[in-house]
Amino acid sequence: MLFSVESLYMVSSTVSSKILKSIAKVEGFLAEECLTGFKWMANYAIRREAEGYKCLFAYEDAIGYMYGTRVLDKDGISAGGVLSEHASQLYGKGRTLYSYLEEVFSKYGYHVTNNSYFLCYEPETVKRIFGKLRNNGYPSSVGKFKITGVRDLTVGYDSSTPDNKCLLPTDPSCQMITFTFENGCVATLRTSGTEPKLKYYTEIIRRPGDTATKTSIKEELAELVKEMVAEFLQPEVNGLKPRPN
């Protein structure tokens, strides 16, 4: 069965890289976001398929891939098979996966991520950290980096929508706030549903043709992360333990 490009889509979790959206803008297919976990993405694929759409790919950071809808869950076997086939095709042309990735960045813009977590064993500490971020008005900057948007999936607030309500499902039992920055960075702070972790996911997105180097983008993001951790999480004050090396 053939599908028009407008009926094709890919899905990622909301804390994953936004590169699918950047590719979709150029190629014309749809790029959708869901909450973290393949139960959300797989069920979304089922609903959209019933509406006549075709899911090509779904993924989330740290880490899982779903190619098509034959297996409605993360599937490392099919992911490994597809990657191996692609690597073989590139090798036959004298190319590598790394060189192909650089071509992707050149066409769709650099997407540089910096993700990690802190260990926190006290639920009240987590509530205090997130409460400080929202109770006196959301912050407008981190150091020199200006914040232009806030989405809080715990309370259902989204500054980017006309009615300030989130489009994704909300959950008051889980802490999760996303900040959008003027420099193209998107940063999410969230708690883990299974471990005593306070996670952060950050990404700087650059448009195709941007003259900034990958090194300078990494340095800019590292500076933003350092400021965000110091101001928002305050590890020493709150007794947070950094991720083990």
Side-chain angles (χ1 to χ4, degrees):
M1 181 176 179
L2 296 178
F3 292 85
S4 65
V5 67
E6 294 83 5
S7 65
L8 301 174
Y9 71 95
M10 299 186 188
V11 188
S12 61
S13 67
T14 191
V15 297
S16 298
S17 171
K18 311 300 181 186
I19 195 167
L20 289 187
K21 285 189 173 183
S22 298
I23 297 173
K25 287 179 181 178
V26 175
E27 304 300 339
F29 63 86
L30 301 173
E32 310 284 359
E33 283 191 354
C34 291
L35 296 180
T36 56
F38 272 83
K39 66 178 181 180
W40 293 101
M41 288 183 278
N43 281 308
Y44 184 85
I46 292 171
R47 292 196 303 272
R48 292 293 264 170
E49 199 163 84
E51 298 168 356
Y53 293 87
K54 180 64 176 177
C55 178
L56 298 177
F57 176 65
Y59 91 103
E60 67 176 1
D61 283 351
I63 196 166
Y65 305 100
M66 183 180 87
Y67 284 90
T69 54
R70 186 176 296 274
V71 178
L72 289 165
D73 201 348
K74 65 174 70 176
D75 181 7
I77 294 175
S78 66
V82 171
L83 183 64
S84 298
E85 182 179 14
H86 188 43
S88 178
Q89 291 174 345
L90 290 171
Y91 183 77
K93 300 176 183 178
R95 300 161 64 193
T96 65
L97 286 172
Y98 182 81
S99 67
Y100 184 77
L101 179 61
E102 288 299 312
E103 290 179 22
V104 169
F105 286 147
S106 177
K107 185 174 183 179
Y108 305 111
Y110 271 117
H111 291 62
V112 177
T113 60
N114 185 335
N115 306 331
S116 193
Y117 64 84
F118 286 88
L119 295 171
C120 182
Y121 298 95
E122 300 296 333
E124 290 304 315
T125 299
V126 172
K127 290 181 181 179
R128 184 172 66 250
I129 290 171
F130 282 88
K132 185 177 179 181
L133 290 174
R134 66 169 67 95
N135 291 343
N136 296 316
Y138 296 100
S140 59
S141 64
V142 173
K144 68 179 184 181
F145 302 100
K146 182 180 179 181
I147 294 172
T148 58
V150 178
R151 185 187 64 189
D152 189 337
L153 286 177
T154 305
V155 301
Y157 172 78
D158 189 337
S159 66
S160 69
T161 61
D163 59 1
N164 292 146
K165 294 182 179 179
C166 292
L167 300 178
L168 291 178
T170 59
D171 183 357
S173 68
C174 179
Q175 301 287 350
M176 184 172 177
I177 303 178
T178 299
F179 300 95
T180 302
F181 291 82
E182 190 175 51
N183 71 338
C185 179
V186 178
T188 296
L189 301 176
R190 67 179 286 261
T191 51
S192 170
T194 57
E195 301 170 291
K197 293 179 179 179
L198 204 169
K199 300 181 177 182
Y200 63 81
Y201 306 80
T202 65
E203 178 179 35
I204 282 186
I205 302 165
R206 288 287 186 259
R207 295 177 183 271
D210 191 296
T211 57
T213 65
K214 187 190 296 186
T215 298
S216 68
I217 297 171
K218 286 183 176 180
E219 291 173 349
E220 182 179 353
L221 183 56
E223 182 183 357
L224 190 153
V225 169
K226 182 179 179 180
E227 295 280 2
M228 182 182 71
V229 168
E231 291 187 29
F232 290 178
L233 303 184
Q234 298 180 302
E236 294 80 12
V237 174
N238 292 305
L240 307 180
K241 296 183 178 180
R243 182 179 70 178
N245 294 327

